[in-house]
Amino acid sequence: MTEKGNGDYGLRPGAEEFPLMVVLSILYPCNYGCPSCPYTDSNSSLRRFYREREADLFPPSLWQKIADECGPYGAWMRCTGGGEPMLHRNMVEMLEYAKARGARVWLNTNGSMFGPDAAGRTRLERVVNAGVDLIEFSMDAGDAETYAKVRPPRGGPPSDPERWWADKVSNVRSALDYRRQLRTTTRVVVSIIRQEAIEGRLDAAVDMWLKDVGVDEVITRKFLSWDDNTTIPLGKALDKHLYAKLETAQAPPCVWPFERLNVDTLGRVSLCGQDIAFRTAELFPNVNDVSIKSIWQGETFRWYRELHLAGRGAETFPCRGCSAWKAGIRDWKHGWLKVLKTSGERLKEVMERDTGVEVDIYQPKNE
């Protein structure tokens, strides 16, 4: 399958038959109440939608079906969604299953289920020992005061902000310690959303995580409102210029339909990660019924790709209303492939320095 238009765009190398990444909404409940999260009850009704359908958790059987498909391609299974993935009672076993099948795994987590209690540490050790390829700790801060504002527990502010922060930092440090002890090649990265709350503190936060804690990379993510899926205003972005000219923006093809596919707890597929309400799910078969490969190579994805390559993406739903695409956030040069390259180079250096072992680190074919 060769969907090429403009020579600079088209299916990513390796995605001709199967997506490079399958993004999985692992579950919808959460133990945090982050004000910038599109799933927080005050920002949308998305969690209620899944709760009412008894679809809070990703079914382990569906996970296994997807892992069996991803394995032979070495595709990434990205664990994210509307809540904290590690709250899933079967998550550790699911991760172990995916790695045993040859899939690559990117785990997004707030880190709260990894300690500092003994049960959390055991959970973390198993995740690292399973060979999970990348753990992204969503921290959004470099100090206790900011963290308490942007990453509060569900139900209100923490009673002890300093302890709330210190415990989570210790969990990240422990991930690095387990990696060293077990000599695995798990990348450990931290992400920070570029939002108003961290103004004047972002550079210090990046330095703290890279130089003091020693993570492999700090991802500074652009602020998203998720458009009409939520009530989050774009004005909370740290980069005020980002969404200033959306009406006149001439964006290149969106990269998402050319590299990844999204699945929710009901087995529904959406066109892209911006469609967190899965309103485009009616256009695709359900993963419970057919293979991911057949959906990826199907008529609907092909239609969207062809229109984007022809410069007509804005004629389609939901692309025409996508602020992230028009603002250039979904671009072809600065994304997850770059994170893999940078963090992989850092990990290789650290492993050789700390353990004396030269390891092979998976690197993407292009940035």
Short mmCIF file of all heavy atoms in Angstrom, two decimals, residues 199-228:
data_model
loop_
_atom_site.label_atom_id
_atom_site.label_comp_id
_atom_site.label_asym_id
_atom_site.label_seq_id
_atom_site.Cartn_x
_atom_site.Cartn_y
_atom_site.Cartn_z
N GLU A 199 4.42 28.96 33.97
CA GLU A 199 5.12 30.12 33.41
C GLU A 199 6.23 30.59 34.36
O GLU A 199 6.03 30.74 35.57
CB GLU A 199 4.14 31.28 33.17
CG GLU A 199 4.77 32.46 32.47
CD GLU A 199 3.74 33.50 32.06
OE1 GLU A 199 2.56 33.36 32.45
OE2 GLU A 199 4.12 34.45 31.34
N GLY A 200 7.43 30.80 33.82
CA GLY A 200 8.57 31.24 34.60
C GLY A 200 9.28 30.12 35.34
O GLY A 200 10.33 30.35 35.95
N ARG A 201 8.74 28.90 35.27
CA ARG A 201 9.33 27.77 35.99
C ARG A 201 9.69 26.59 35.09
O ARG A 201 10.21 25.58 35.57
CB ARG A 201 8.36 27.28 37.08
CG ARG A 201 8.00 28.35 38.10
CD ARG A 201 7.11 27.79 39.20
NE ARG A 201 6.77 28.81 40.18
CZ ARG A 201 6.13 28.58 41.32
NH1 ARG A 201 5.74 27.35 41.62
NH2 ARG A 201 5.86 29.57 42.15
N LEU A 202 9.40 26.73 33.83
CA LEU A 202 9.59 25.60 32.91
C LEU A 202 11.05 25.21 32.77
O LEU A 202 11.40 24.03 32.87
CB LEU A 202 8.99 25.93 31.55
CG LEU A 202 9.14 24.84 30.49
CD1 LEU A 202 8.49 23.54 30.94
CD2 LEU A 202 8.53 25.30 29.16
N ASP A 203 11.93 26.17 32.54
CA ASP A 203 13.34 25.85 32.34
C ASP A 203 13.95 25.18 33.57
O ASP A 203 14.72 24.21 33.45
CB ASP A 203 14.13 27.12 32.00
CG ASP A 203 13.79 27.66 30.61
OD1 ASP A 203 13.22 26.91 29.82
OD2 ASP A 203 14.10 28.84 30.36
N ALA A 204 13.58 25.68 34.75
CA ALA A 204 14.09 25.08 35.99
C ALA A 204 13.57 23.66 36.16
O ALA A 204 14.28 22.77 36.64
CB ALA A 204 13.68 25.94 37.19
N ALA A 205 12.33 23.43 35.75
CA ALA A 205 11.75 22.09 35.85
C ALA A 205 12.48 21.11 34.93
O ALA A 205 12.79 19.98 35.33
CB ALA A 205 10.26 22.13 35.50
N VAL A 206 12.75 21.53 33.72
CA VAL A 206 13.47 20.68 32.78
C VAL A 206 14.85 20.34 33.32
O VAL A 206 15.28 19.18 33.28
CB VAL A 206 13.58 21.36 31.39
CG1 VAL A 206 14.50 20.56 30.47
CG2 VAL A 206 12.20 21.52 30.76
N ASP A 207 15.55 21.34 33.85
CA ASP A 207 16.88 21.10 34.41
C ASP A 207 16.83 20.15 35.60
O ASP A 207 17.69 19.28 35.75
CB ASP A 207 17.50 22.43 34.86
CG ASP A 207 18.05 23.24 33.70
OD1 ASP A 207 18.16 22.68 32.59
OD2 ASP A 207 18.34 24.43 33.90
N MET A 208 15.82 20.32 36.44
CA MET A 208 15.69 19.46 37.62
C MET A 208 15.56 17.99 37.22
O MET A 208 16.24 17.11 37.75
CB MET A 208 14.48 19.92 38.44
CG MET A 208 14.12 19.03 39.62
SD MET A 208 12.76 17.91 39.16
CE MET A 208 12.59 16.95 40.66
N TRP A 209 14.71 17.72 36.24
CA TRP A 209 14.48 16.33 35.83
C TRP A 209 15.68 15.74 35.09
O TRP A 209 16.04 14.58 35.30
CB TRP A 209 13.22 16.24 34.97
CG TRP A 209 11.96 16.39 35.77
CD1 TRP A 209 11.07 17.42 35.71
CD2 TRP A 209 11.45 15.49 36.75
NE1 TRP A 209 10.05 17.23 36.60
CE2 TRP A 209 10.24 16.04 37.25
CE3 TRP A 209 11.89 14.26 37.25
CZ2 TRP A 209 9.48 15.41 38.22
CZ3 TRP A 209 11.12 13.63 38.22
CH2 TRP A 209 9.94 14.20 38.70
N LEU A 210 16.31 16.54 34.24
CA LEU A 210 17.44 16.02 33.47
C LEU A 210 18.71 15.91 34.30
O LEU A 210 19.41 14.90 34.25
CB LEU A 210 17.70 16.93 32.27
CG LEU A 210 16.72 16.84 31.10
CD1 LEU A 210 17.08 17.88 30.03
CD2 LEU A 210 16.69 15.45 30.49
N LYS A 211 19.01 16.94 35.08
CA LYS A 211 20.30 17.01 35.76
C LYS A 211 20.27 16.44 37.17
O LYS A 211 21.24 15.80 37.61
CB LYS A 211 20.78 18.46 35.80
CG LYS A 211 21.00 19.05 34.41
CD LYS A 211 21.38 20.52 34.47
CE LYS A 211 21.56 21.11 33.08
NZ LYS A 211 21.90 22.55 33.13
N ASP A 212 19.20 16.66 37.90
CA ASP A 212 19.12 16.18 39.28
C ASP A 212 18.62 14.73 39.33
O ASP A 212 19.27 13.86 39.91
CB ASP A 212 18.20 17.09 40.10
CG ASP A 212 18.11 16.64 41.56
OD1 ASP A 212 19.01 15.92 42.03
OD2 ASP A 212 17.13 17.02 42.24
N VAL A 213 17.49 14.48 38.70
CA VAL A 213 16.93 13.13 38.73
C VAL A 213 17.61 12.22 37.70
O VAL A 213 17.88 11.06 37.97
CB VAL A 213 15.40 13.17 38.48
CG1 VAL A 213 14.82 11.76 38.46
CG2 VAL A 213 14.72 14.02 39.56
N GLY A 214 17.89 12.76 36.52
CA GLY A 214 18.62 11.98 35.52
C GLY A 214 17.76 11.18 34.57
O GLY A 214 18.17 10.11 34.10
N VAL A 215 16.56 11.68 34.25
CA VAL A 215 15.71 10.98 33.28
C VAL A 215 16.33 11.10 31.89
O VAL A 215 17.23 11.92 31.66
CB VAL A 215 14.27 11.53 33.28
CG1 VAL A 215 13.63 11.35 34.65
CG2 VAL A 215 14.25 13.00 32.86
N ASP A 216 15.85 10.29 30.96
CA ASP A 216 16.43 10.24 29.63
C ASP A 216 15.97 11.38 28.73
O ASP A 216 16.66 11.72 27.76
CB ASP A 216 16.06 8.91 28.96
CG ASP A 216 16.58 7.72 29.75
OD1 ASP A 216 17.75 7.76 30.16
OD2 ASP A 216 15.80 6.77 29.96
N GLU A 217 14.84 11.96 29.03
CA GLU A 217 14.30 13.05 28.20
C GLU A 217 13.18 13.74 28.96
O GLU A 217 12.49 13.12 29.77
CB GLU A 217 13.78 12.49 26.87
CG GLU A 217 13.05 13.45 25.96
CD GLU A 217 13.95 14.47 25.29
OE1 GLU A 217 14.74 15.11 26.03
OE2 GLU A 217 13.85 14.64 24.06
N VAL A 218 13.00 15.03 28.70
CA VAL A 218 11.85 15.76 29.19
C VAL A 218 11.06 16.24 27.97
O VAL A 218 11.58 16.99 27.14
CB VAL A 218 12.24 16.96 30.07
CG1 VAL A 218 10.99 17.75 30.47
CG2 VAL A 218 12.99 16.51 31.31
N ILE A 219 9.84 15.76 27.86
CA ILE A 219 8.97 16.16 26.75
C ILE A 219 8.16 17.37 27.20
O ILE A 219 7.45 17.30 28.20
CB ILE A 219 7.99 15.02 26.39
CG1 ILE A 219 8.75 13.71 26.13
CG2 ILE A 219 7.15 15.41 25.19
CD1 ILE A 219 7.82 12.50 26.03
N THR A 220 8.29 18.48 26.50
CA THR A 220 7.45 19.64 26.82
C THR A 220 6.33 19.67 25.79
O THR A 220 6.53 20.05 24.64
CB THR A 220 8.26 20.94 26.80
OG1 THR A 220 8.91 21.10 25.53
CG2 THR A 220 9.33 20.92 27.89
N ARG A 221 5.17 19.26 26.21
CA ARG A 221 4.03 19.11 25.31
C ARG A 221 3.27 20.43 25.15
O ARG A 221 3.04 21.14 26.13
CB ARG A 221 3.08 18.03 25.82
CG ARG A 221 3.70 16.65 25.89
CD ARG A 221 2.63 15.58 26.07
NE ARG A 221 3.20 14.25 26.13
CZ ARG A 221 3.60 13.55 25.08
NH1 ARG A 221 3.49 14.08 23.88
NH2 ARG A 221 4.11 12.35 25.21
N LYS A 222 2.86 20.71 23.93
CA LYS A 222 2.02 21.88 23.68
C LYS A 222 0.67 21.69 24.37
O LYS A 222 0.15 20.59 24.49
CB LYS A 222 1.81 22.07 22.18
CG LYS A 222 3.08 22.31 21.39
CD LYS A 222 3.71 23.65 21.70
CE LYS A 222 4.74 24.05 20.64
NZ LYS A 222 5.79 23.07 20.40
N PHE A 223 0.09 22.80 24.81
CA PHE A 223 -1.21 22.77 25.47
C PHE A 223 -2.31 22.49 24.45
O PHE A 223 -2.34 23.08 23.37
CB PHE A 223 -1.47 24.11 26.15
CG PHE A 223 -2.76 24.17 26.92
CD1 PHE A 223 -2.82 23.76 28.24
CD2 PHE A 223 -3.93 24.62 26.31
CE1 PHE A 223 -4.01 23.81 28.95
CE2 PHE A 223 -5.12 24.67 27.01
CZ PHE A 223 -5.16 24.26 28.33
N LEU A 224 -3.22 21.59 24.79
CA LEU A 224 -4.34 21.24 23.93
C LEU A 224 -5.66 21.50 24.64
O LEU A 224 -5.78 21.29 25.85
CB LEU A 224 -4.27 19.75 23.54
CG LEU A 224 -3.04 19.29 22.76
CD1 LEU A 224 -3.07 17.78 22.59
CD2 LEU A 224 -2.96 19.97 21.40
N SER A 225 -6.65 21.93 23.88
CA SER A 225 -7.99 22.12 24.45
C SER A 225 -8.91 20.98 24.03
O SER A 225 -10.00 20.84 24.56
CB SER A 225 -8.59 23.44 23.96
OG SER A 225 -8.97 23.34 22.60
N TRP A 226 -8.48 20.19 23.04
CA TRP A 226 -9.27 19.08 22.49
C TRP A 226 -10.56 19.59 21.85
O TRP A 226 -11.52 18.85 21.70
CB TRP A 226 -9.55 18.04 23.58
CG TRP A 226 -8.32 17.64 24.30
CD1 TRP A 226 -7.90 18.10 25.52
CD2 TRP A 226 -7.28 16.75 23.84
NE1 TRP A 226 -6.69 17.54 25.85
CE2 TRP A 226 -6.29 16.71 24.84
CE3 TRP A 226 -7.12 15.98 22.68
CZ2 TRP A 226 -5.15 15.93 24.71
CZ3 TRP A 226 -5.99 15.21 22.56
CH2 TRP A 226 -5.01 15.19 23.57
N ASP A 227 -10.55 20.87 21.50
CA ASP A 227 -11.63 21.48 20.73
C ASP A 227 -13.00 21.24 21.36
O ASP A 227 -13.14 21.34 22.57
CB ASP A 227 -11.56 21.00 19.27
CG ASP A 227 -10.21 21.37 18.65
OD1 ASP A 227 -9.74 22.48 18.92
OD2 ASP A 227 -9.62 20.54 17.93
N ASP A 228 -14.02 20.87 20.57
CA ASP A 228 -15.37 20.78 21.12
C ASP A 228 -15.62 19.47 21.87
O ASP A 228 -16.76 19.19 22.26
CB ASP A 228 -16.43 20.98 20.03
CG ASP A 228 -16.29 19.99 18.89
OD1 ASP A 228 -15.33 19.20 18.88
OD2 ASP A 228 -17.17 20.00 18.00
#
